[in-house]
Amino acid sequence: MTPAALNETRWTTGFWAQRYEACRTKMVPEMWKLIQGTERTHFLENFRVAAGLVEGRCRGAAWNDGETYKWLEAACSLLAVQPDASLRVHVDEAVDIIAKAQRADGYLYTKVLIGQRAGDAAAKPFSDRFAFEMYCMGHLMTAACRHHQTTGTDKLLTVARKAADFLIQQFANPTPEQAKNSVCPSHYMGFLDLWRETGDVRYRDAAQHFIEMRRLVTDGGDDNQDRIPFEQQTNAIGHAVRANYLYAGAADLFMETGDTNLWSPLEPIWRNLTEQKMYITGGCGALYDGASPYGSKNQSSITRTHQAFGHNYELPNTTAHNETCANIGNVLWNWRMFLATGEARFMDIAELALYNSVLSGMSLDGTNFFYTNPLRVTDPLPTELRWPRERVPFLGSFCCPPNLARTIASSAQFAYAKSSSRDASSRSPNGDGGVAATPTIWVSLYGASELETDVPGIGKVKLAQETEYPWNGRVHIKINEASSKEFALKLRIPGWAKSASLRINYRPADSSMKRGSYHEIRRAWRAGDFIDLDLQMDTELIEANPLVEETLGQVAVKRGPIVYCLESVDLPRGVKPLDVSLSPDTKLRARYDQRLLGGVALIEGTALVRTNSNWSGQLYRELQPSKPTPIKLRLIPYSAWANRGPSQMSVWLPFASP
Ligand SMILES: [Zn+2]
């Protein structure tokens, strides 16, 4: 499938339009002040120094070039939908500085360039695998493609091509040591973006070459997914951002080549993730720090890991790492798995992560950010953690905020894809799903939006989606323009929907709909045709596999794609979230409240409170039975927690008989 282009679709009202507006009016402009300034750290300033425009030194994290590119990508995505003269000026300024910093041979990484300018003999390209050069240049390629699509100018694309050509030349015959330069690999996706933008097949081949290069690594580790060749891997392992970027890159390449050597690891890794290692929020990376559970039994060769996937079913709540970038990586990966196969299970996961563990990374107004996304925050915490327990405007590792910005700025692309008969050779190795032979528009995400696109063989199609999703499951899609030629609309019936009904121009459709699949409606669509899809959206109590020790005896509340949590600001003074238990008698109802948290569907009902007396200085004690008292319960969407001042929060709540 081909995703809808950014200038073909837009959010109009409701949930996604709100997030998009926060991104457009707050996030991207506020982030520009940081990116172009020198107050907190250096982003563009490093490029100015590298270009010799100002005197100075390199400041900031080794990956800050990449964050500058991510901001540019976000800004260009916004400009693709809506002109904004002042934003365009900022984009032009940034591109100008970046172009000036590039070395004549194409190399572009400010930390090394500034070192060389200062006469530091040790400043050499690719001498430190943790310099994140590939990561930065990968984001340059992606941002440059978006810049080219939006502005029609090739200034940044030329910079990116020169950088890509440098990489191709530099790594034509890599040594095992050089092959280790693949930390946080955004460059596989970057090369493929360049291939699709320029049609230059060398960039597609480069993506293949750089993925295959991983085989050369002789002393790699699980943290970087290079202890064993990728083709032999079956588990989601190591640093969760690096892992998900690798899987997304491999899925992207699979989409272009159909190489089954790439699919053989992707399918078992996906199953390992979704059946054993992913949080209910779609979050990825259970551990702050740890050791790989795989590989050698020999203590001396056990691999250190950080921000990483742990053992199967090892999913702690309070110390969950779930870096926002890892959760975004989960979306990038699953979206590409969908685009390659047409299977709805992948968009189910992408949607789950988007609504919960991705959007939890930002405040509702788009100005404060989480690096980690735990499922429980208590006061006190059992142990002090590295990252702040409240969202903050700036993080020393400022990778997540611009990643959120680019994701939200382009989020309408996740909603629609199209395929034509020439795409009919399905990539799905499983035989199901697959790309239809009929020209098709795929509706993957529901949200009030418009699409105006050209479908090959059909011509122009305009449609509009009206819905209050995710707060209820009713979706109205109206065809506003079509050529009366036959094409298919494929609607995603989410895996969580126990039932779904469909009417076309008021008439009930007779075919049954299978949850967890795309339902096809094929007809000669005419302007004025409309469909009404009604997805059954129940409030459900969810339990985890009992092998997840950290959630034994607990339940979570989920409604449609939204995971809920209990926040202490919704409790009487002195009551903590974990004092509250749900029971088989608990009756929960959803109610939309437009005044709270920008407008959300709340879950209300009654629960039981057993106040837990002081545990100070005690690890164990004789059970102290306490009589529960009923309490009014109010649950909010997990992603919207921590927007009302300091609080405690839990997704999983004790489940006990009254
Ligand atoms: Zn991050």
Side-chain angles (χ1 to χ4, degrees):
M1 269 71 70
T2 313
L6 276 180
N7 58 3
E8 294 179 329
T9 177
R10 66 172 71 206
W11 302 116
T12 48
T13 59
F15 185 95
W16 282 107
Q18 281 179 331
R19 271 72 188 167
Y20 184 88
E21 276 307 288
C23 178
R24 188 180 72 81
T25 60
K26 288 281 174 113
M27 215 172 176
V28 166
E30 290 294 316
M31 220 172 275
W32 167 250
K33 292 180 197 162
L34 177 75
I35 295 275
Q36 64 94 29
T38 57
E39 195 181 327
R40 300 268 201 182
T41 182
H42 286 181
F43 296 94
L44 260 188
E45 185 72 359
N46 283 341
F47 288 91
R48 292 190 194 99
V49 177
L53 300 172
V54 296
E55 289 290 316
R57 62 188 178 88
C58 184
R59 267 184 72 201
W63 46 90
N64 275 9
D65 288 8
E67 312 324 325
T68 313
Y69 302 135
K70 280 187 208 160
W71 178 87
L72 258 179
E73 185 192 337
C76 291
S77 295
L78 295 178
L79 289 173
V81 178
Q82 195 170 333
D84 178 334
S86 72
L87 183 60
R88 179 63 197 269
V89 169
H90 301 330
V91 165
D92 289 348
E93 181 188 340
V95 169
D96 207 39
I97 296 166
I98 289 164
K100 284 184 175 136
Q102 187 169 36
R103 212 164 65 180
D105 64 0
Y107 180 71
L108 180 49
Y109 176 62
T110 61
K111 194 174 163 194
V112 166
L113 292 175
I114 292 170
Q116 289 182 335
R117 189 169 271 280
D120 177 2
K124 292 198 184 95
F126 306 108
S127 54
D128 173 9
R129 67 183 304 214
F130 295 111
F132 290 82
E133 286 153 291
M134 292 284 194
Y135 165 85
C136 291
M137 286 193 246
H139 279 297
L140 167 64
M141 296 178 214
T142 296
C145 293
R146 187 52 49 84
H147 181 263
H148 182 245
Q149 292 155 12
T150 299
T151 65
T153 66
D154 55 9
K155 186 164 185 177
L156 193 60
L157 191 64
T158 303
V159 173
R161 290 189 72 153
K162 276 169 70 183
D165 295 346
F166 176 85
L167 289 177
I168 290 170
Q169 178 265 326
Q170 191 79 4
F171 286 85
N173 296 295
T175 64
E177 197 55 31
Q178 284 176 315
K180 282 155 70 177
N181 276 287
S182 56
V183 174
C184 223
S186 66
H187 56 296
Y188 310 139
M189 288 180 275
F191 273 123
L192 290 162
D193 286 337
L194 266 190
W195 139 247
R196 289 186 279 254
E197 193 64 22
T198 65
D200 188 337
V201 74
R202 291 181 311 125
Y203 299 133
R204 188 196 64 191
D205 295 346
Q208 178 127 18
H209 175 71
F210 277 82
I211 290 180
E212 287 175 352
M213 181 175 91
R214 303 176 71 92
R215 293 178 193 150
L216 299 176
V217 177
T218 50
D219 58 345
D222 283 339
D223 205 25
N224 205 44
Q225 298 82 35
D226 55 8
R227 180 176 57 82
I228 52 175
F230 176 63
E231 294 82 349
Q232 295 170 21
Q233 295 180 22
T234 53
N235 291 293
I237 49 173
H239 191 294
V241 184
R242 299 177 192 180
N244 286 353
Y245 276 39
L246 166 62
Y247 309 149
D252 213 0
L253 182 59
F254 172 73
M255 185 158 53
E256 296 295 339
T257 64
D259 179 357
T260 50
N261 284 329
L262 294 165
W263 191 260
S264 328
L266 283 171
E267 173 75 25
I269 291 170
W270 187 86
R271 294 211 169 274
N272 179 237
L273 173 76
T274 57
E275 294 169 10
Q276 281 143 346
K277 288 188 179 165
M278 190 179 74
Y279 282 90
I280 188 175
T281 56
C284 291
L287 307 177
Y288 269 64
D289 306 289
S292 169
Y294 303 105
S296 177
K297 291 181 169 63
N298 182 353
Q299 291 265 335
S300 63
S301 59
I302 286 173
T303 313
R304 160 195 176 274
T305 59
H306 74 303
Q307 318 194 158
F309 293 110
H311 287 92
N312 291 343
Y313 305 106
E314 185 181 16
L315 295 165
N317 293 309
T318 312
T319 57
H321 195 274
N322 289 348
E323 182 184 334
T324 306
C325 285
N327 310 336
I328 291 172
N330 197 16
V331 175
L332 297 177
W333 175 26
N334 274 284
W335 183 46
R336 284 165 173 78
M337 297 284 270
F338 155 70
L339 289 173
T341 65
E343 292 183 45
R345 60 183 169 135
F346 300 121
M347 283 313 291
D348 277 359
I349 299 294
E351 179 186 58
L352 178 78
L354 271 174
Y355 276 115
N356 300 292
S357 54
V358 169
L359 289 179
S360 60
M362 64 180 259
S363 60
L364 290 171
D365 69 359
T367 58
N368 287 278
F369 308 99
F370 273 136
Y371 189 78
T372 57
N373 294 277
L375 279 77
R376 175 173 298 155
V377 173
T378 57
D379 187 20
L381 288 167
T383 184
E384 269 315 305
L385 296 169
R386 196 174 300 144
W387 297 97
R389 51 178 293 158
E390 290 172 45
R391 294 189 189 88
V392 291
F394 178 74
L395 295 150
S397 181
F398 200 73
C399 50
C400 305
N403 215 0
L404 278 162
R406 74 183 185 124
T407 302
I408 295 167
S410 62
S411 52
Q413 274 202 307
F414 299 132
Y416 300 101
K418 54 191 177 178
S419 56
S420 62
S421 46
R422 70 186 160 78
D423 303 321
S425 57
S426 167
R427 293 274 187 241
S428 175
N430 305 327
D432 49 0
V435 175
T438 312
T440 302
I441 291 178
W442 302 69
V443 185
S444 290
L445 284 191
Y446 299 111
S449 55
E450 290 170 349
L451 174 73
E452 179 177 342
T453 188
D454 271 311
V455 181
I458 295 298
K460 187 184 268 193
V461 176
K462 279 168 83 170
L463 60 82
Q465 200 187 140
E466 287 171 22
T467 178
E468 289 162 351
Y469 193 95
W471 310 129
N472 67 56
R474 294 186 293 279
V475 179
H476 177 83
I477 298 175
K478 188 175 175 200
I479 307 292
N480 288 322
E481 189 174 330
S483 63
S484 301
K485 288 184 189 157
E486 184 180 86
F487 71 94
L489 264 186
K490 282 207 173 208
L491 308 175
R492 185 172 65 92
I493 310 302
W496 51 258
K498 288 186 188 130
S499 74
S501 64
L502 182 69
R503 286 174 298 150
I504 304 170
N505 298 337
Y506 295 123
R507 293 177 57 172
D510 44 13
S511 56
S512 66
M513 285 179 285
K514 196 172 138 218
R515 65 202 268 191
S517 74
Y518 279 85
H519 180 76
E520 180 178 295
I521 316 166
R522 193 190 307 182
R523 56 189 275 147
W525 295 95
R526 283 207 277 257
D529 284 347
F530 59 91
I531 59 169
D532 288 285
L533 174 68
D534 198 348
L535 302 166
Q536 184 183 341
M537 190 182 273
D538 295 339
T539 302
E540 294 175 329
L541 295 183
I542 306 290
E543 61 180 344
N545 187 310
L547 292 172
V548 183
E549 292 184 57
E550 292 85 349
T551 51
L552 274 179
Q554 297 160 61
V555 289
V557 176
K558 188 163 175 276
R559 182 171 178 269
I562 304 289
V563 175
Y564 281 79
C565 72
L566 176 58
E567 196 176 10
S568 55
V569 290
D570 292 316
L571 289 169
R573 182 185 285 268
V575 178
K576 298 177 173 184
L578 287 186
D579 297 339
V580 177
S581 57
L582 304 183
S583 79
D585 297 337
T586 303
K587 298 266 186 296
L588 299 173
R589 292 171 306 276
R591 179 176 68 82
Y592 182 76
D593 186 333
Q594 66 176 24
R595 290 161 307 166
L596 194 72
L597 297 164
V600 292
L602 306 167
I603 304 287
E604 294 174 327
T606 53
L608 299 170
V609 168
R610 291 177 173 86
T611 38
N612 238 325
S613 57
N614 183 15
W615 275 88
S616 178
Q618 296 182 96
L619 184 56
Y620 306 105
R621 69 184 184 197
E622 189 179 11
L623 181 67
Q624 298 181 356
S626 60
K627 199 169 158 41
T629 53
I631 186 180
K632 278 203 169 128
L633 181 73
R634 176 157 89 172
L635 304 174
I636 63 161
Y638 164 72
S639 70
W641 92 276
N643 277 288
R644 295 174 291 170
S647 66
Q648 302 177 58
M649 175 280 297
S650 186
V651 167
W652 292 96
L653 297 170
F655 187 70
S657 296

